[in-house]
Amino acid sequence: MKRSPKGGTAPKIDIRGVASHARVSIATVSRTINHVPTVDPVLAARVWKAVAELNYFPNTQARALVSGKSKLLGLIVSEITNPFFPELISEFEQIAVARGYEILIGSTNYEPKTMELCARRMLERKVDGVAIMTFGVEEFLLDRFAADDIPVIFIDVASKQPRSSILAVDYRAGINEGVQHLAVLGHRKIAFISGPLKLRSAETRKNAFIECMRLAGLSVEQDWLIEGNHDLDSGRDAMQKILELPNWPTAVMCSNDMTAIGVQHALFEAKLRVPDDFSLIGFDDVHLAEYTIPPLTTVRMSCKDLAQAAVSSLLAHMQPTEGRAEAHSKTRIQTRLIVRQTTGLPRHALSGIVPRLHRKKRRR
Amino acid sequence: MKRSPKGGTAPKIDIRGVASHARVSIATVSRTINHVPTVDPVLAARVWKAVAELNYFPNTQARALVSGKSKLLGLIVSEITNPFFPELISEFEQIAVARGYEILIGSTNYEPKTMELCARRMLERKVDGVAIMTFGVEEFLLDRFAADDIPVIFIDVASKQPRSSILAVDYRAGINEGVQHLAVLGHRKIAFISGPLKLRSAETRKNAFIECMRLAGLSVEQDWLIEGNHDLDSGRDAMQKILELPNWPTAVMCSNDMTAIGVQHALFEAKLRVPDDFSLIGFDDVHLAEYTIPPLTTVRMSCKDLAQAAVSSLLAHMQPTEGRAEAHSKTRIQTRLIVRQTTGLPRHALSGIVPRLHRKKRRR
DNA sequence: CTGAAAGCGCTAACAA
DNA sequence: TTGTTAGCGCTTTCAG
């Protein structure tokens, strides 16, 4: 047992230490721990024994340097503070770690500047692949990754990039279910609070809503199409804006759950009730949605599916190009309505149509 | 402009490329980009120009290998899914990235096994420092980090480890304010839903509660001390357990906000009202607390303070030991009550004390 | 099947 | 001040 002259630090064992301890060459140690099949079982056993005894583990940096693979996966999200993303991150992390990858998280906060910084960080750290879960990606970023030959997977509705794969979320299905659900209950006047429209997905959700309304034979009022920011505050603000309108909708759909929770809050403050005064539908189905008061009817988009598809696609594209995984893949992600308690009959559905008066009365 | 014989990949420029482009040695390039002051300005200019023209950035892996610093900070949290942590992570990330560090996140989910795995991941990646924000740390883990001479900062109430610094959260202050607040309103029967008691911090909060109750001259009922798990579900379950008791408290304090939201939900389901039937106090003050219905009275613990203190302490301890930062530091973190709308007079405070009958009636 | 040796891209002595 | 050179710990030819 040697120790450095002064400090009480551990002997710092490396591959050489293991090699000498196991009486083999460092090459054999390397082969053994990398599970190269052509190693003599006897030597391998000696190596493993040495590894255990010395409590050795390879230096990731060195390995990365020589092999070119960092064993790092980038994960870019829009806002780590929105509960949907932690749920996604959590899934992503589990799968990645199980496969021997570490993950590097970047949160863009919807700011292009930050997004660029994130991308740069990923590039600098030489991630082996990136999942851009930010629902809307700038083309030039994809190019940057493509230039370094780094597999990218991102969320979109329609494919176009060559060297990348996409998760095609079918926003339409869920939103349509939502609109239909509302229509069946008797709602005709439905508002939609979108996410930041610079996000392609936010725009897509909004457009899906408009289309579905048309499909249901309902007209959409421009005043009831509000742009939010996918967070609690913006949901509240948007609803307050709606309440200032002379003409109220009877239901509101939101581009995500946080927005809906913000709406619930605005309604609470205005002493209006859900679903008696307004029906409400969210999007995402975060775990919290089950816990709002009342529990939120929402469109579920499984973050587990998203995470799983993302990691496995990335991993597939990282295989030494056998040509097969070359083509950019496309995975469908479904959405569907989860009915809870924020949707009900529109006010006075039974008693006729004199809502204006009542509304006035109720407004504080 | 050369390019590899077949693929359309970029020329892969490295420090040598920059050196030749700038007509200097690689050492000069290294010095320049590392801001070593003794570089001739003329050469430096040439280097920067080359860097810009070639769009060069250093290979992190190589740099880490030779310098021994990974520029990686570990951040271990208990549960990324609990909104408190994303808020913390977000702060942490911003500060770290601004200082040139990347962060590695590990989520323990309260499982010692996972916790160990996290620690191992950090060790393997050779993080330059670790913040263990999991509110309760196993000694042996700290030893592992200490053995590799990695600075650690963690949350605790009392210092003891040598080569590490702590964030001493003053749970007492906030909890005491909470109990006092309740007592002043007239509550005598207060329940407490703790976090998982294997977490030191959870136990500390519980003990603080018990002490504060004594201080307020109130007795604590064993039946009203329930162990939860710091998440939505466990909050709901705990409250349901309380509702099955023959004797009800009039208020409940929770070890964190998620628990409180779970409680609100249980109460909602039981058609009981907050604060009319039960007063409720959370802990953490996540952004969401402002948005619950009604908005949650809670004890604020600033995750911004936590994150800032953590990063700066870590960074300080990473300086080439000048002796000064040697001693393990201790930073105080305050807590304080934020009164919102889940606390009010106990039921029948005005009309005397015949609550049992009413309760029976109200129970569905 | 094994070992010797050549780097991966960079930093840090050491010389000039 | 600048350049030359020796590794950091590992993987991976290439002989044997």
Side-chain angles (χ1 to χ4, degrees), chain B residues 218-236:
Chain B
L218 302 177
S219 63
V220 332
E221 179 85 39
Q222 279 305 318
D223 281 355
W224 298 340
L225 252 29
I226 309 226
E227 178 175 356
N229 196 32
H230 271 176
D231 63 15
L232 294 165
D233 297 342
S234 87
R236 180 200 53 205

Side-chain angles (χ1 to χ4, degrees), chain A residues 210-246:
Chain A
I210 294 173
E211 250 186 275
C212 295
M213 285 291 279
R214 195 157 300 148
L215 221 70
L218 303 177
S219 63
V220 332
E221 178 85 39
Q222 280 305 318
D223 281 354
W224 299 339
L225 252 29
I226 309 226
E227 178 174 356
N229 195 32
H230 270 175
D231 63 15
L232 294 165
D233 297 343
S234 87
R236 180 200 51 204
D237 296 348
M239 192 62 215
Q240 280 167 352
K241 217 173 289 172
I242 291 179
L243 291 179
E244 279 162 11
L245 259 28

